[in-house]
C-alpha cells in the first residue's frame, strides 16, 4: 500500500470536489491518502508520501498562486515521486480543439515557469456556479458559453467534468506509477 498526497487549489470549490473524487479513487485502489488544500499545506507537516496528485483550476490563463507556491516550495519532494497534475477549466472540458489546446498551453506554460514537470497530466472540465461568482464574472462566463453554443442551465449550476475520464486517468496513474514500481502488474 502506498501513501498519496492529493493537493488542490480552488476558486469556486469545484476543484475541491474533483480532488475529493481523486482521493476516493485512491482509497478504493487500496492506498492511503492525505487530502490537502494548497493554501493550508504550508502550515501542515506533510509527512512522507509515495506519490502526489495536484489539482488546480485555470482562470484567465493562470493556475492559482497557491498551487504554484506549493510546487515551488515542495519541488524536491515532488521530483522524488511520481506526480500527476489535473488542470481544471471550462476549456479543459470543451469539445472544441482550440479550447483544449489553450488549456494545454496554459498547463505547459506553468510547468515551464516552475521548471517542473508532472509525470502525468489531465485536463478536466470545470463548472459554472453562478452563486459563487460576482455579477461581472457571471456575465462574462455566460457570454463566453453562449458564443460557444452553450445555454446556461436556469439553476445557475453546470458541470463540465467528465467523471469517467477522470477516474480512468487516476486508475492509469496509480497502475503505471505505483503498482509497477512495487513489482505489481
Amino acid at each position: 500500500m502506498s501513501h498519496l498526497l492529493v493537493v488542490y487549489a480552488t476558486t469556486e470549490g469545484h476543484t475541491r470536489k474533483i480532488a475529493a473524487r481523486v482521493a476516493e479513487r485512491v482509497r478504493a485502489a487500496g492506498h492511503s491518502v492525505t487530502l490537502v488544500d494548497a493554501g493550508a499545506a504550508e502550515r501542515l507537516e506533510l509527512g512522507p508520501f509515495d506519490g502526489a496528485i495536484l489539482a488546480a483550476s485555470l482562470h484567465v490563463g493562470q493556475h492559482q498562486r497557491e498551487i504554484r507556491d506549493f510546487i515551488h516550495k515542495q519541488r524536491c519532494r515532488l521530483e522524488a515521486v511520481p506526480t500527476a497534475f489535473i488542470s481544471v477549466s471550462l476549456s479543459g472540458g470543451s469539445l472544441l480543439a482550440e479550447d483544449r489546446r489553450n488549456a494545454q498551453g496554459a498547463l505547459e506554460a506553468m510547468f515551464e515557469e516552475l521548471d517542473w514537470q508532472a509525470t502525468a497530466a489531465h485536463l478536466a472540465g470545470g463548472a459554472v456556479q453562478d452563486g459563487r461568482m460576482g455579477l461581472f464574472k457571471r456575465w462574462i462566463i455566460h457570454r463566453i458559453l453562449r458564443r460557444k453554443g452553450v445555454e446556461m442551465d436556469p439553476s445557475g449550476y453546470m458541470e463540465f467534468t467528465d467523471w469517467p475520464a477522470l477516474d480512468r486517468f487516476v486508475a492509469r496513474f496509480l497502475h503505471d506509477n505505483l503498482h509497477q514500481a512495487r513489482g505489481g502488474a
Side-chain angles (χ1 to χ4, degrees):
M1 176 171 78
S2 297
H3 180 75
L4 269 83
L5 183 63
V6 176
V7 182
Y8 67 91
T10 190
T11 301
E12 281 115 24
H14 189 67
T15 304
R16 180 182 319 114
K17 183 176 179 179
I18 287 174
R21 173 72 165 248
V22 168
E24 174 187 299
R25 294 295 170 210
V26 169
R27 282 187 200 98
H31 304 287
S32 64
V33 65
T34 299
L35 180 63
V36 180
D37 182 326
E42 191 173 289
R43 298 182 301 275
L44 299 173
E45 173 53 47
L46 298 175
F49 52 90
D50 303 303
I53 302 175
L54 288 67
S57 53
L58 180 65
H59 296 273
V60 195
Q62 293 281 315
H63 292 89
Q64 281 97 345
R65 178 188 45 79
E66 293 87 355
I67 202 75
R68 293 190 325 265
D69 288 350
F70 177 82
I71 292 167
H72 179 73
K73 290 175 185 164
Q74 298 293 333
R75 183 175 161 187
C76 288
R77 292 183 75 191
L78 292 171
E79 288 176 341
V81 298
T83 55
F85 193 94
I86 300 167
S87 177
V88 182
S89 66
L90 295 180
S91 295
S94 176
L95 298 176
L96 300 174
E98 180 182 355
D99 287 347
R100 293 190 59 80
R101 276 193 304 273
N102 290 339
Q104 183 67 38
L107 179 60
E108 290 170 7
M110 181 190 70
F111 288 161
E112 187 174 317
E113 168 198 331
L114 295 170
D115 192 26
W116 176 79
Q117 180 76 42
T119 308
H122 179 72
L123 301 178
V128 175
Q129 302 175 68
D130 284 356
R132 296 189 178 219
M133 294 186 285
L135 185 61
F136 182 69
K137 185 174 182 180
R138 183 172 39 224
W139 178 79
I140 297 262
I141 296 291
H142 285 224
R143 185 169 180 231
I144 291 168
L145 289 173
R146 275 193 305 278
R147 275 194 303 199
K148 295 178 185 290
V150 178
E151 257 328 292
M152 190 63 194
D153 188 275
S155 71
Y157 181 80
M158 286 183 74
E159 251 183 36
F160 298 93
T161 307
D162 181 342
W163 295 105
L166 178 69
D167 293 346
R168 285 189 303 273
F169 171 76
V170 172
R172 190 170 46 253
F173 173 75
L174 294 174
H175 178 269
D176 292 350
N177 296 287
L178 298 176
H179 295 293
Q180 290 181 346
R182 290 190 333 243

